[in-house]
Amino acid sequence: MKLLSTRLWHSITPRMCFCQVIRAGSTDKQFSSQTKPTSETVKETNLKIMFFGTDNFALETLRKLHERQRLKVINHLEVCCISDSGTPVCKYAKENGLKMHLYPPPIDSGQFDLGVVASFGKLISSSVISKFKYGMINVHGSLLPKLRGAAPIIYAIKQGLPETGITIMKIKPKKFDVGEMLAQERIEIPRDMLRSDLTHKMAILGSDLVCQVVENLEAYEKTATVQDNSEATLAPVVNKSIAFIDFHKQSNYEIYNLWRSVHDIVKLRCKWGPTNTVTRFKVVHPPWHIEHLQLDSTKLPGETVFLKVNKKQNFLCIKCRDGWIAVDEIMYGKRKVMSSRDFANGFLRIDKTKPLPPSENNNSIAMFVKDEET
């Protein structure tokens, strides 16, 4: 699950989320809680495992596997990385004395029993998969077959989904995320949860779930489920174009969900119409924070109003296709980050009760427009 090709996920303490565990092939009525493994509850497997991963999402799984090696649950553990350029997984392996290989790993057939993959970002060849006695399994950040691809957590939040999950699946050659499903775990997405929070939470859940599968691999393989391709949706790798806002086409909730999905990766951007200057927003407030203000629904998308609700609440509000959105920590051109009040002082006439008149800088309407730069 590689984001913007090179950006790594941040580990931020998440809000509490509701989760349920499903063995592939089971129904919702068969959900059951799982006990976190300890030296008394884990099952000895004697497996020799090679782990494939890169970022902080993958690091959680490596840590859990390493813990199980210390508990003698697995027999042997080594690591494979795409490069040794200082990724979290690479650094952890070096710091903890785990033998590390660069892809493709120079191993013999049967030397390892199982390959475990999490956020590796590279299609693994059939020649590598075939060298593992029990093949390879992957920790994927969605409820497959939904959101196949490199950025499932981004798309889950961007689409405003109420839940997503982890799937443990078999690795197949030539295509990403199409193998049989061994287990799934659902997780609720609160409407104000940020991607960084959800990613951290899912990394922990995924690491626990894959260890449960590893410790009971034979049982999970017996209930493996083939994915229904007719239900598949995609979550391809994203680039900076995802952050370009079009107030004519996007609603307030679509823009807010987009911000939640990429807030720490790339800043949402548009242009300030009167000066045709690229402007970015570091913060987008939840739409429900301003819905009670009853802003004028007849205004054009992009039109901008500054409102001072009280001494502590100031909102720079922008009309969307549907509804209004409030933004803050504004990056206008190459200037330093401005508060909504500072932006209004510099570019708007402040009025607590009335929509804004045309900008005093010229005769154009005070509004944000789409940035057409590619």
Side-chain angles (χ1 to χ4, degrees), residues 65-210:
L65 291 173
H66 192 204
E67 174 187 341
R68 279 152 178 76
Q69 184 188 28
R70 295 192 190 102
L71 295 172
K72 309 298 182 183
V73 177
I74 61 178
N75 181 280
H76 186 70
L77 178 64
E78 295 184 17
V79 176
C80 182
C81 295
I82 294 176
S83 72
D84 58 357
S85 59
T87 65
V89 165
C90 176
K91 290 173 65 176
Y92 182 91
K94 291 179 178 179
E95 291 170 359
N96 289 274
L98 294 173
K99 187 173 181 180
M100 191 181 73
H101 307 269
L102 295 181
Y103 186 85
I107 59 175
D108 297 326
S109 181
Q111 185 178 342
F112 288 84
D113 299 305
L114 182 68
V116 176
V117 182
S119 191
F120 191 55
K122 188 176 183 66
L123 195 62
I124 297 176
S125 68
S126 57
S127 61
V128 172
I129 297 171
S130 64
K131 291 182 178 179
F132 293 89
K133 181 178 179 180
Y134 302 116
M136 302 180 72
I137 60 176
N138 179 51
V139 183
H140 183 76
S142 79
L143 296 172
L144 291 171
K146 302 295 185 184
L147 301 178
R148 292 174 174 172
I153 301 178
I154 285 180
Y155 282 89
I157 294 179
K158 179 178 179 287
Q159 294 172 10
L161 300 183
E163 69 171 8
T164 185
I166 293 289
T167 301
I168 308 302
M169 50 159 285
K170 292 185 176 181
I171 293 282
K172 295 294 182 183
K174 299 181 181 179
K175 290 185 178 181
F176 282 111
D177 309 326
V178 298
E180 294 93 340
M181 300 179 293
L182 301 174
Q184 290 187 324
E185 185 164 355
R186 296 178 182 272
I187 182 170
E188 179 187 355
I189 309 176
R191 64 176 183 168
D192 60 346
M193 176 168 269
L194 305 182
R195 185 206 56 80
S196 53
D197 296 345
L198 182 59
T199 297
H200 181 62
K201 184 71 174 179
M202 290 179 67
I204 295 171
L205 294 176
S207 66
D208 287 339
L209 187 59
V210 75

Side-chain angles (χ1 to χ4, degrees), residues 19-23 28-35 212:
C19 60
Q20 294 175 306
V21 176
I22 320 162
R23 179 169 293 184
D28 287 359
K29 293 182 180 179
Q30 293 173 300
F31 290 161
S32 61
S33 297
Q34 298 292 326
T35 303
Q212 293 168 24

